[in-house]
Amino acid sequence: MMDKIRIEKNTVQETLVIPLYARKLCTERFPAMFQDHAAVALMERMDYDFSELEKKSESMTQVFGALECAMRQNDLAWEVRDYLKTHPKAAVVNLGCGLDQTGRNCDNGSCRIYNIDFPDVIQVRDELLPAGDRERNIVADLNDFRWFDEIDASDGAVFFAAGVFYYFRTEQAKRLMVAMAERFPGGKLVFDAAGRLAVKLMLKTWIKQADIKDVDAYFSVSDAKAELSPWSDRVQVSSRGYMLGYFPMDDPNIKGIHRFLAKLGDGPMKMKIVRMDFRSVLKRVRNMEKVNIQGVPETMLQTLFARAAHSQKKDHKFYDEKAIEIVKQLDYDFSKAEKDAAMSSGVIARTILLDRMVGAFLEENPDATVVNIACGLDTRVYRLDNGQVRWYNLDLPEVIEVRRRFLDEKGRISMIAKSAMDESWASEIENPTGRVLVVIEGLVMYLTEADVRKILFIICRRFEHAEIIMETMNPFIMRHMKEKSIEASKARFTWGLKTGRELESMVPELTWVKDVSLVEGMKELYSVYRVLGWVRPIRNISNKLVILRK
């Protein structure tokens, strides 16, 4: 029989017990919503008197506290998994880890897991939860930034903290978060926070219950974006209520009083999950950059603005930090783009679908070659980069000249300054080691049929096997629809087709696979499209993403 690990009273070690017991209690009470059977097993290995906690396990406050703990861990795990979708080899860093196993629960088989806490906590963790493959338990004080050197963030880093920053003074929290934003660009930090009143109540209940006298709570947040954004121009701040902001409380065992308290917590108590995205370092520009381009190339500024604006919404479907940064550095009148809802919605729907389709292709073919034709200021590669893909951004010389002002791309991610109809661009694609994907977004509706045929022939001649995703426009829309911001750039729609099958007759070497209507993306933006999507004429006239294969 294994010896039990003694947990000392009135120490930081004892703070491990409360969230552990809460997870055990929630597993028993609300199994449809949360399960952590490992918590029960860990408790059985502890030499600690749980009787006081057991006595109060029927109380409304104790049960709701357990519910809070479970919802918090579910929310943080969601954020970790969301980051790993686009950074599969990232560092997953549990700040103030205690005996939490969120890192392991989110393990995708390729990420690196780090658990950081004080010496006496890690001592207990090493005995109860010894580090596994790709995992390290690190002894550190979070306020001593030498722990930064222990984290391999070369493929990204997502940091999370549960119940940690209440013990920080505001100046300590600021100093740490600003330093992390500087050190880990492209990373993300998520943590729980609450308003001042909730923090005071917390001190009187959870912490005081255990007679813990050597910790204190100082840090509170009422409006995360307003209060924390000024700390650094390298952070993008957002937040959600952590009781109801991520998952519905749909376990039938949850009582009405608990649902009421959940609304109270997310509302007046300001309980939330705060997310800080650490902005990647872009190429530095002096003051504001004036861009003088017209016609089709100018449309890249409209689509850039649409992605940046969407990313700053609370309910964004993707987050494009580079688009936000570039827009801030451009001396350009975006007023027409700001008012053009039709253009913006189409761009967002298209981006949602293309991110998903390209991401799925890279999951199956991590060492693929991607050619992004008419790239403009598209930044998809930075959202989907897996550390292996070879990605070429191709566009006209005047467009690439603008792109180079903001993005320093060379090596595995690089640029080609040529027209897509100039066959010489194909010779700049190095022999691909994996499958080839060609993305043609927001271009062919401005070309002639002969131009489109030429681009497709170039692709077929260069690559023995390739998949193409090409956005197309229906002829009816081409003739009758006007987008204010596009019209202002003097670009004109000139070519369209009803179905991607028509491309097989244009280029016999290609096989049509399927058409994906942009209505599928619109469904995620507007609930009405869940109904309209069944109306065949609407699906037919919407822009499509045509998938072709050679």
Side-chain angles (χ1 to χ4, degrees):
M1 188 176 189
M2 297 181 68
D3 292 337
K4 289 196 172 186
I5 307 301
R6 181 168 179 77
I7 303 297
E8 298 293 339
K9 284 278 189 180
N10 302 324
T11 66
V12 174
Q13 278 189 350
E14 194 174 17
T15 64
L16 305 177
V17 173
I18 297 172
L20 190 67
Y21 183 82
R23 295 198 296 274
K24 174 252 190 189
L25 185 59
C26 206
T27 299
E28 295 171 348
R29 296 296 182 90
F30 313 114
M33 191 175 65
F34 180 83
Q35 295 189 34
D36 185 357
H37 297 292
V40 179
L42 287 176
M43 286 173 58
E44 291 175 351
R45 294 189 56 199
M46 290 181 172
D47 180 7
Y48 181 83
D49 182 6
F50 290 96
S51 61
E52 289 301 314
L53 291 173
E54 291 286 357
K55 288 177 185 177
K56 298 172 181 176
S57 64
E58 296 298 324
S59 73
M60 180 188 68
T61 54
Q62 188 86 328
V63 173
F64 184 69
L67 190 58
E68 284 182 346
C69 186
M71 295 303 289
R72 178 178 68 190
Q73 295 310 119
N74 278 344
D75 298 345
L76 294 174
W78 186 94
E79 289 285 1
V80 171
R81 292 188 181 103
D82 184 60
Y83 188 83
L84 289 176
K85 289 177 185 176
T86 53
H87 302 79
K89 294 184 177 181
V92 176
V93 188
N94 192 343
L95 305 176
C97 59
L99 294 174
D100 175 60
Q101 299 190 66
T102 299
R104 292 183 182 182
N105 294 337
C106 296
D107 188 5
N108 62 359
S110 58
C111 63
R112 294 179 295 277
I113 301 169
Y114 300 86
N115 304 299
I116 303 177
D117 217 318
F118 291 116
D120 46 357
V121 174
I122 294 297
Q123 178 186 350
V124 175
R125 187 179 181 94
D126 281 339
E127 295 189 65
L128 293 174
L129 295 169
D133 294 338
R134 293 176 287 100
E135 183 177 15
R136 286 184 60 198
N137 294 337
I138 299 174
V139 172
D141 179 342
L142 295 179
N143 287 305
D144 180 349
F145 300 161
R146 285 179 292 181
W147 65 264
F148 287 6
D149 298 330
E150 303 293 323
I151 309 301
D152 180 359
S154 56
D155 294 303
V158 54
F159 302 84
F160 64 98
V164 171
F165 292 124
Y166 305 112
Y167 306 130
F168 279 56
R169 296 181 180 88
T170 300
E171 60 269 23
Q172 289 177 314
K174 179 178 180 179
R175 180 171 171 265
L176 172 62
M177 294 172 192
V178 170
M180 290 175 67
E182 292 283 340
R183 180 63 179 271
F184 302 106
K188 178 170 81 171
L189 167 66
V190 286
F191 59 92
D192 59 310
R196 176 59 60 190
L197 177 59
V199 171
K200 287 181 179 179
L201 291 174
M202 203 178 304
L203 288 170
K204 290 180 180 179
T205 54
W206 284 99
I207 296 175
K208 295 297 184 183
Q209 276 178 8
D211 293 325
I212 299 170
K213 298 181 174 63
D214 60 351
V215 294
D216 202 355
Y218 303 94
F219 180 60
S220 64
V221 181
S222 294
D223 185 333
K225 186 173 183 179
E227 295 173 30
L228 306 184
S229 294
W231 284 7
S232 171
D233 60 2
R234 288 181 178 266
V235 299
Q236 177 72 29
V237 180
S238 59
S239 66
R240 300 191 200 183
Y242 85 63
M243 295 303 295
L244 301 168
Y246 287 80
F247 301 98
M249 294 178 67
D250 52 9
D251 191 303
N253 295 315
I254 297 176
K255 296 180 179 179
I257 184 62
H258 296 141
R259 298 182 192 279
F260 170 75
L261 290 174
K263 292 180 180 179
L264 188 67
D266 283 7
M269 296 297 173
K270 309 294 184 183
M271 293 164 57
K272 62 187 72 66
I273 297 294
V274 178
R275 168 175 165 169
M276 280 188 171
D277 290 278
F278 302 148
R279 291 171 174 152
S280 296
V281 178
L282 290 167
K283 197 170 183 180
R284 294 292 182 183
V285 296
R286 292 178 298 173
N287 302 317
M288 297 289 283
E289 285 283 341
K290 185 76 174 177
V291 176
N292 294 309
I293 53 175
Q294 291 185 339
V296 176
E298 191 178 359
T299 63
M300 72 177 179
L301 301 178
Q302 323 299 330
T303 57
L304 175 77
F305 179 84
R307 296 197 312 273
H310 175 77
S311 297
Q312 295 174 88
K313 293 181 178 179
K314 183 177 180 180
D315 58 346
H316 58 257
K317 304 301 180 183
F318 59 84
Y319 186 75
D320 193 335
E321 63 179 325
K322 288 192 180 291
I324 295 170
E325 287 293 312
I326 294 171
V327 165
K328 286 182 178 179
Q329 297 179 76
L330 279 168
D331 179 9
Y332 181 83
D333 181 8
F334 287 106
S335 59
K336 288 187 174 64
E338 193 170 12
K339 297 174 183 176
D340 195 343
M343 179 277 297
S344 178
S345 296
V347 168
I348 302 312
R350 179 177 74 192
T351 302
I352 291 170
L353 295 177
L354 275 172
D355 277 9
R356 188 173 299 155
M357 294 162 75
V358 176
F361 184 90
L362 292 180
E363 282 187 15
E364 293 183 10
N365 308 277
D367 61 343
T369 294
V370 177
V371 183
N372 188 14
I373 291 180
C375 63
L377 288 170
D378 175 67
T379 53
R380 178 166 292 109
V381 63
Y382 299 100
R383 296 192 298 277
L384 303 183
D385 185 23
N386 60 8
Q388 300 179 62
V389 62
R390 178 86 191 195
W391 191 291
Y392 295 89
N393 286 311
L394 166 69
D395 215 317
L396 298 169
E398 60 266 34
V399 173
I400 294 299
E401 188 275 327
V402 173
R403 187 179 180 91
R404 285 197 174 112
R405 296 187 210 174
F406 303 97
L407 298 164
D408 186 13
E409 296 177 337
K410 52 193 172 186
R412 190 170 54 80
I413 301 172
S414 56
M415 306 182 205
I416 299 176
K418 290 183 179 178
S419 165
M421 290 168 283
D422 179 348
E423 192 164 355
S424 67
W425 69 257
S427 63
E428 297 195 30
I429 308 297
E430 295 181 6
N431 292 328
T433 55
R435 289 182 63 194
V436 176
L437 175 66
V438 180
V439 179
I440 311 174
E441 175 186 5
L443 172 66
V444 299
M445 58 283 297
Y446 301 108
L447 304 180
T448 65
E449 182 174 316
D451 293 335
V452 176
R453 184 184 292 109
K454 184 171 185 179
I455 293 171
L456 295 176
F457 273 128
I458 292 172
I459 294 169
C460 290
R461 279 195 289 267
R462 175 62 182 89
F463 303 113
E464 184 177 355
H465 301 288
E467 190 159 307
I468 302 169
I469 304 176
M470 183 170 76
E471 183 190 11
T472 64
M473 180 174 281
N474 185 281
F476 177 84
I477 297 296
M478 178 199 74
R479 290 190 295 268
H480 299 288
M481 182 178 178
K482 295 183 183 296
E483 293 180 347
K484 297 174 183 177
S485 56
I486 301 300
E487 290 284 317
S489 68
K490 312 230 183 283
R492 296 291 182 272
F493 300 133
T494 54
W495 180 78
L497 45 75
K498 292 182 179 179
T499 171
R501 281 188 182 274
E502 298 173 35
L503 293 166
E504 287 185 324
S505 59
M506 284 174 52
V507 184
E509 294 171 83
L510 293 176
T511 300
W512 172 83
V513 178
K514 66 177 178 178
D515 292 344
V516 178
S517 172
L518 257 60
V519 166
E520 296 303 314
M522 295 295 284
K523 287 179 182 179
E524 301 195 24
L525 296 176
Y526 308 106
S527 57
V528 68
Y529 274 90
R530 295 170 191 167
V531 177
L532 294 177
W534 292 98
V535 181
R536 186 178 295 275
I538 291 177
R539 294 184 64 85
N540 287 345
I541 66 172
S542 296
N543 280 21
K544 296 177 179 63
L545 295 174
V546 177
I547 301 178
L548 305 163
R549 196 167 288 155
K550 181 201 177 220

